[in-house]
Amino acid sequence: MRIVVDRNKCTGLGICESLAPDHFEVNDEGALVVLRDSVSEDELDAVQQAVEGCPTEALRLEN
Amino acid sequence: MTVHAEAHSFDPAPVATLEFWGRTAEERETTFKELRDERPVSWHPPLEGNLLPLEKDGIWIVVRHADVVSVSKDWETFSSAQGVTMEEMPEDMAAAASSFLGMDPPRHTRLRRLVSSAFTPKQVKKIDDQINNQARRIVDDLLDVGDCDFVAQVSKRLPMWTIFEMLGVPQELREEGYRAADGMVAYLDEDAAAGQDALTFQMNALMTLLNIGVELAEERRARPTSDLMTNLVQAEVDGERLTDEEIGAFFVLLSVAGNDTTRNTTSLTMKALCDFPDQRKLLLEDYDGRITTAIEEFVRWATPVQTFRRTVTRDTELNGQKLHGGDWVVTVFASANRDERVFDDPHAFNILRSPNPHVAFGGGGPHYCLGNMLAKTQLRHLFKELLFRVKDIEVGAPTYLTSHFIRGVRAMPCTFTR
């Protein structure tokens, strides 16, 4: 699975970072950085929570 | 004037009266429940007591969770660019008071980012100790003072302290800033306005905050530091520096949004923890393990921002009602957070509630609360201090602010064992 970010929707809130800090980080300019876009089986739960928890629906997972 | 093809008759629920917004939230909830069950998207006359007469023949009131969420997310159909409160206010006043809250993408996105970089998880973590110390000092002072007004002695203090610290407001301007930030939401309340008409009262509060913001901006241009105001005066949007008006509006928005929200959630949560002693016991049994889940329930319970307004940009339909371009739509977060379609036993304060898809930080979309993580950090530290250090703390009956926007507690007595 891979993480895809819709940059038009992302506002850099960082809720994803608080749920899956290994994959997401909001940098000092307030922009979201995807640290690793591939998601392994055991990381899927946290990343899925981050995707579902995004209030602006800026994240999705692709095969 | 919006002209409707079909003649609407007004809904009998008295949602557009000042008297309604002077009742308690529990009393209003009876009306919202009826609307949720029978008329989820309803048509009402413009709110009486407008700051300006409203050039509309009515407003839509949206009360179900699902509809509040879909309106919040669909910013292209439901615009914020023509104001976000259920009252008309002069255009320059609206712009000065709401900054990027009253904008749509893409301009909203560019301006918001200038501030949002100060509210990221890493930035909030950096000031975690500072907030913890502030919470401790507030409770130190409470313990010194003894029985008192909880709002003045506790709830009021932390939010503005944190925000003014972030912005770098000098001590000598803070007291004036606190009072003006209060005035921004208290203008409909007769006691608070103390004889002034609503427009004059709010305009005075607004001008005070704008002046503090602009004065601080000038100071930081001359002597930059590492605070948020320094970032703002140095920032560029589309190759241009922000104007004094834009910086002033940022300052007003942060002062208002950072003040009433956490403050009223603090008061209403303290009351809930007294009204539901079993929940307080549950929390005390495992504070660190339960507080994260509990805070979601604190904010659902309080819902400090009761409503936002959007303006329809094109003809559309919402839950069976035909809306027209130009129509005003009011999303009632207070009602959505008690929607029995989403929450089991919505009138129970349940600190273990999970999932808890409340809309107290907004229904999603680009305007979702920027300060949500900051607010959670404040509540976590403050309640830890209050519940573990203040023996047998209990609060009495609150008095409430009359407002269709903020659910405000003006005062609430507290007692404890010394």
Side-chain angles (χ1 to χ4, degrees):
Chain A
M1 301 284 264
R2 292 169 56 81
I3 298 164
V4 182
V5 183
D6 183 337
R7 297 282 164 188
N8 290 321
K9 287 187 172 174
C10 177
T11 60
L13 273 168
I15 289 175
C16 51
E17 179 179 331
S18 61
L19 293 166
D22 292 343
H23 286 83
F24 303 99
E25 184 180 318
V26 181
N27 68 15
D28 290 344
E29 281 74 53
L32 176 62
V33 179
V34 178
L35 301 172
R36 265 188 302 126
D37 68 352
S38 65
V39 184
S40 67
E41 197 71 20
D42 55 321
E43 299 164 336
L44 193 59
D45 208 36
V47 174
Q48 212 133 31
Q49 274 190 40
V51 169
E52 281 160 23
C54 174
T56 63
E57 297 178 330
L59 299 175
R60 64 197 157 82
L61 277 170
E62 258 180 16
N63 273 317
Chain B
M1 179 82 67
T2 314
V3 180
H4 286 268
E6 320 82 29
H8 291 293
S9 54
F10 290 128
D11 194 282
V15 178
T17 63
L18 267 188
E19 188 271 325
F20 180 78
W21 295 100
R23 298 179 194 174
T24 66
E26 293 75 22
E27 289 164 339
R28 285 194 291 273
E29 165 57 15
T30 318
T31 302
F32 290 137
K33 176 161 182 18
E34 178 190 316
L35 288 176
R36 282 198 303 273
D37 289 345
E38 294 166 21
R39 298 162 334 257
V41 180
S42 57
W43 180 247
H44 299 260
L47 187 81
E48 66 178 35
N50 272 286
L51 288 170
L52 278 187
L54 178 61
E55 297 281 308
K56 304 271 175 195
D57 46 12
I59 54 177
W60 295 104
I61 300 283
V62 177
V63 290
R64 276 195 197 163
H65 186 280
D67 295 331
V68 167
V69 168
S70 59
V71 169
S72 302
K73 285 185 173 165
D74 185 2
W75 59 268
E76 288 175 291
T77 310
F78 300 97
S79 167
S80 296
Q82 292 161 67
V84 293
T85 62
M86 64 190 280
E87 275 181 287
E88 188 83 287
M89 57 170 88
E91 208 173 303
D92 51 344
M93 188 166 162
S98 52
S99 183
F100 57 88
L101 188 66
M103 293 176 192
D104 295 328
R107 183 153 178 79
H108 165 265
T109 318
R110 287 198 286 271
L111 281 178
R112 174 170 159 140
R113 182 150 293 165
L114 300 179
V115 182
S116 72
S117 54
F119 292 85
T120 61
K122 256 188 282 326
Q123 294 299 326
V124 172
K125 210 170 199 168
K126 269 189 202 163
I127 57 170
D128 191 277
D129 282 347
Q130 175 206 313
I131 295 171
N132 194 4
N133 287 333
Q134 291 169 340
R136 192 173 307 135
R137 280 176 56 189
I138 288 166
V139 170
D140 288 345
D141 292 346
L142 172 69
L143 291 169
D144 279 349
V145 166
D147 298 355
C148 59
D149 172 19
F150 185 82
V151 175
Q153 194 63 41
V154 179
S155 315
K156 243 182 155 161
R157 294 186 60 196
L158 185 56
M160 286 309 267
W161 195 353
T162 308
I163 283 286
F164 279 3
E165 200 71 38
M166 284 175 90
L167 279 158
V169 180
Q171 289 296 342
E172 63 272 20
L173 293 178
R174 288 191 185 181
E175 209 35 61
E176 199 185 1
Y178 296 154
R179 271 201 308 277
D182 278 1
M184 288 296 294
V185 298
Y187 62 92
L188 285 178
D189 196 282
E190 280 184 10
D191 292 340
Q196 294 181 64
D197 70 274
L199 192 59
T200 311
F201 182 73
Q202 203 193 14
M203 198 53 120
N204 285 340
L206 177 61
M207 292 311 295
T208 303
L209 280 178
L210 280 176
N211 288 338
I212 295 175
V214 170
E215 198 179 309
L216 183 60
E218 274 164 19
E219 170 63 28
R220 287 301 181 270
R221 280 192 197 104
R223 277 172 290 276
T225 64
S226 58
D227 56 28
L228 180 54
M229 185 54 88
T230 305
N231 292 351
L232 289 178
V233 297
Q234 292 175 345
E236 289 186 0
V237 175
D238 305 330
E240 284 180 40
R241 290 280 166 96
L242 298 172
T243 63
D244 274 358
E245 286 73 27
E246 286 170 321
I247 290 179
F250 267 124
F251 186 82
V252 175
L253 174 60
L254 290 175
S255 300
V256 175
N259 179 15
D260 292 285
T261 47
T262 311
R263 160 194 177 157
N264 291 307
T265 303
T266 300
S267 301
L268 293 161
T269 298
M270 193 65 241
K271 180 163 190 317
L273 290 167
C274 294
D275 291 346
F276 298 84
D278 57 319
Q279 297 298 305
R280 179 166 169 172
K281 189 161 166 281
L282 262 181
L283 182 56
L284 281 168
E285 279 166 10
D286 180 12
Y287 190 88
D288 292 336
R290 288 177 178 156
I291 189 61
T292 305
T293 306
I295 283 173
E296 301 297 334
E297 183 70 347
F298 294 176
V299 291
R300 181 191 77 92
W301 190 255
T303 315
V305 178
Q306 304 185 96
T307 64
F308 263 140
R309 188 254 301 175
R310 299 289 184 254
T311 304
V312 179
T313 58
R314 57 186 171 217
D315 291 1
T316 186
E317 222 177 282
L318 185 67
N319 211 335
Q321 293 281 17
K322 286 196 172 67
L323 315 186
H324 299 268
D327 282 1
W328 278 21
V329 174
V330 175
T331 47
V332 185
F333 303 115
S335 170
N337 278 345
R338 296 290 184 275
D339 191 341
E340 39 293 284
R341 288 152 200 80
V342 174
F343 302 102
D344 292 334
D345 204 1
H347 298 101
F349 176 68
N350 172 6
I351 63 147
L352 302 179
R353 189 184 291 279
S354 178
N356 191 345
H358 65 79
V359 291
F361 291 124
H367 294 279
Y368 190 88
C369 178
L370 180 69
N372 75 89
M373 266 175 287
L374 182 65
K376 289 173 186 174
T377 302
Q378 292 173 323
L379 292 168
R380 180 162 44 84
H381 287 308
L382 190 55
F383 277 97
K384 189 163 193 174
E385 294 290 319
L386 283 169
L387 295 177
F388 286 97
R389 290 182 57 206
V390 191
K391 198 163 177 264
D392 310 321
I393 184 166
E394 291 293 330
V395 294
T399 52
Y400 295 104
L401 188 75
T402 297
S403 169
H404 51 75
F405 183 44
I406 294 291
R407 184 180 174 203
V409 180
R410 291 166 50 93
M412 183 169 70
C414 85
T415 57
F416 54 90
T417 311
R418 302 185 79 180

